[in-house]
Amino acid sequence: MRGSVAGGGRRQRTTSGRPFRVSSPSPPALSRSGSLCTHLGARLCERALKPTLESNAETELEPPMASRSLRDPPVSNPESDTGDEGVRGTCDDASLCKRFAVSIGYWHDPYIQYFVRLSKERKAPEINRGYFARVHGVNQLLKAFLKKTECNCQVINLGAGMDTTFWKLKDENLLPKKYFEVDFPMIVTRKLYNIKTKSSLSKPIQELNSEESFLLDGHVLDSNRFAIVGADLRDLNSLEEKLKKCNMNTQLPTLLIAECVLVYMTPEQSASLLKWAANSFETAMFINYEQVNMDDKFGQIMVENLRRRQCDLAGVETCKSLDSQKQRLLSNGWEKASAIDMMELYSSLPRAEVSRIEALEFLDEMELLEQLMQHYCLCWATKGGNNIGLKDITYY
């Protein structure tokens, strides 16, 4: 057991029969970071879809899904503040939407079933196709980075939620030297509970661990190849300290991923995070998926709907255009930046794959899909790595 992470405690057997080191339980601390995944259009138009731009954007949002829909233990947190609670709710929504899309064949993910139950409520085809484009685009960039670095790198997923990328990469023999996840302590507690109680999740981690056990307490998992940390992305000193305790290596080429994370932070806070990332690693790449073109009527109504849901887009002013998204990256230490809206990405997908997913369910309103996808974008930036062609990475 490495001594780099504080906390001893009693040992507890996992469902795979090998021991975790589990510290005494403590109530989940509140993170103030707006660092959770959200989903396409914040579930806009999932109900009563209408053809005009204004009525589409005005469609009422449902409240965040109750946590009982997810596979997690009851958690009480009297210290929870309203501002972050709305953001945390997007994790539940995103997980449920991904679970449904996987269930009808949009993409393969055998692990998401262990984090969230399949909802009886059918999701709109626009939402499912939007998620497919998002997952495809991020995965293409991720795998391109892993190929360029020959997996001699590390990945830090900021606001990972119930993401399953670590397990899928292991199945494909594409794991980096170490894969990190960061999220609200409350979300991390839920995720660790599922890992601890399900052998299909814990066994792959154990198989990669050279020690008899690895650290797993209320807000931290640390093993040889995988770490999950509960942290506030606005407190960069604490974030860096926690990551270094889990053996983050600033000398390794590093990919940082943020999906609908920066938009929940103020422009100053997200700029500080981007600058910290650029300054911390000599060779690095940053992937950002979030809103764009938010100055038009559709975007304005989206912001108001989310605000009524207690989910404020504090960083929306940086989401005015693809140029503003790129400029934010370039002005905070990144050397090259690219950005596309999700409709452009969707249009560039292999035709055979598009035909396959479009055959899964009928879509009678292509205009709505276009409106939604034109308000989300995929951005990526690089620093260093000229010797391995990092600047040449693209989404196709």
Side-chain angles (χ1 to χ4, degrees):
M1 186 65 177
R2 291 191 301 275
S4 59
V5 179
R10 60 189 175 83
R11 289 183 181 268
Q12 179 170 316
R13 291 282 172 178
T14 68
T15 48
S16 62
R18 297 181 67 185
F20 287 115
R21 183 176 296 278
V22 184
S23 66
S24 300
S26 58
L30 176 66
S31 167
R32 294 166 292 131
S33 166
S35 61
L36 294 186
C37 305
T38 188
H39 52 80
L40 183 76
R43 304 191 67 194
L44 288 168
C45 314
E46 193 167 348
R47 298 275 191 195
L49 300 176
K50 299 178 182 180
T52 67
L53 182 149
E54 184 167 342
S55 61
N56 286 340
E58 285 181 338
T59 302
E60 282 296 325
L61 297 172
E62 297 180 31
M65 291 292 178
S67 60
R68 66 177 177 272
S69 300
L70 298 176
R71 299 182 183 274
D72 43 280
V75 176
S76 61
N77 185 16
E79 299 178 359
S80 173
D81 71 88
T82 301
D84 286 341
E85 186 175 357
V87 179
R88 283 195 299 269
T90 63
C91 173
D92 295 11
D93 293 338
S95 300
L96 288 163
C97 289
K98 287 181 178 179
R99 177 76 169 90
F100 181 81
V102 167
S103 74
I104 59 177
Y106 275 88
W107 70 90
H108 181 64
D109 185 348
Y111 298 101
I112 195 168
Q113 62 182 310
Y114 301 116
F115 292 110
V116 56
R117 296 185 179 90
L118 182 61
S119 172
K120 295 180 180 179
E121 179 185 3
R122 190 171 187 86
K123 311 303 176 186
E126 293 84 357
I127 300 296
N128 296 327
R129 292 190 191 181
Y131 264 107
F132 173 82
R134 168 180 170 173
V135 169
H136 178 87
V138 172
N139 281 345
Q140 287 293 103
L141 292 174
L142 166 62
K143 290 183 178 179
F145 181 85
L146 293 171
K147 183 177 180 180
K148 292 287 187 183
T149 61
E150 299 180 343
C151 294
N152 185 32
C153 62
Q154 61 191 358
V155 176
I156 305 175
N157 192 328
L158 304 169
M162 300 299 151
D163 188 76
T164 59
T165 300
F166 165 80
W167 290 272
K168 291 185 290 184
L169 289 178
K170 181 182 181 299
D171 287 348
E172 299 176 58
N173 293 317
L174 287 175
L175 275 178
K177 290 290 186 182
K178 191 156 186 177
Y179 191 97
F180 297 83
E181 293 185 358
V182 182
D183 216 317
F184 283 105
M186 180 179 288
I187 299 298
V188 167
T189 297
R190 287 164 38 178
K191 189 163 192 174
L192 297 188
Y193 173 84
N194 287 304
I195 293 172
K196 184 172 70 173
T197 58
K198 296 177 174 66
S199 62
S200 295
L201 299 175
S202 61
K203 187 176 179 181
I205 304 171
Q206 293 279 13
E207 289 172 350
L208 296 167
N209 212 57
S210 60
E211 306 288 341
E212 182 184 4
S213 63
F214 56 86
L215 177 73
L216 176 63
D217 68 16
H219 299 144
V220 178
L221 179 154
D222 187 28
S223 66
N224 286 355
R225 305 289 294 277
F226 188 32
I228 305 178
V229 174
D232 182 345
L233 298 181
R234 296 168 300 194
D235 186 347
L236 295 175
N237 289 333
S238 176
L239 172 65
E240 182 171 343
E241 179 184 359
K242 290 178 179 181
L243 288 171
K244 285 184 174 179
K245 282 184 176 179
C246 294
N247 293 321
M248 178 183 74
N249 184 352
T250 58
Q251 301 305 307
L252 276 177
T254 300
L255 172 64
L256 301 102
I257 304 172
E259 297 183 53
C260 288
V261 171
L262 304 185
V263 71
Y264 293 114
M265 307 170 74
T266 67
E268 295 75 19
Q269 290 164 347
S270 64
S272 294
L273 178 63
L274 289 170
K275 192 172 295 183
W276 168 82
N279 292 339
S280 296
F281 309 101
E282 291 184 10
T283 301
M285 178 173 173
F286 199 104
I287 298 174
N288 181 36
Y289 169 88
E290 66 180 4
Q291 289 87 342
V292 74
N293 298 324
M294 296 297 282
D295 264 357
D296 65 14
K297 182 66 173 177
F298 191 94
Q300 292 167 11
I301 296 171
M302 186 191 298
V303 170
E304 289 305 314
N305 281 340
L306 284 164
R307 187 169 292 140
R308 288 199 296 269
R309 196 183 181 209
Q310 298 179 334
C311 195
D312 189 34
L313 299 183
V316 71
E317 69 178 71
T318 59
C319 303
K320 292 180 179 179
S321 66
L322 294 176
D323 283 340
S324 68
Q325 288 280 9
K326 290 187 288 186
Q327 187 56 42
R328 173 171 56 173
L329 291 159
L330 294 172
S331 63
N332 286 293
W334 297 87
E335 297 169 358
K336 180 182 178 182
S338 304
I340 55 167
D341 70 50
M342 296 309 291
M343 194 62 222
E344 181 182 348
L345 188 148
Y346 187 83
S347 299
S348 71
L349 292 173
R351 300 321 302 166
E353 190 68 348
V354 172
S355 297
R356 181 188 69 81
I357 65 166
E358 291 185 349
L360 294 174
E361 53 185 344
F362 177 68
L363 174 66
D364 62 355
E365 190 52 72
M366 188 65 183
E367 181 187 0
L368 174 57
L369 178 66
E370 292 174 355
Q371 289 166 358
L372 287 172
M373 288 200 174
Q374 286 166 359
H375 286 81
Y376 281 82
C377 66
L378 186 64
C379 315
W380 61 101
T382 58
K383 177 197 171 187
N386 294 335
N387 59 321
I388 57 174
L390 215 56
K391 291 183 179 180
D392 300 328
I393 288 179
T394 188
Y395 63 93
Y396 53 81

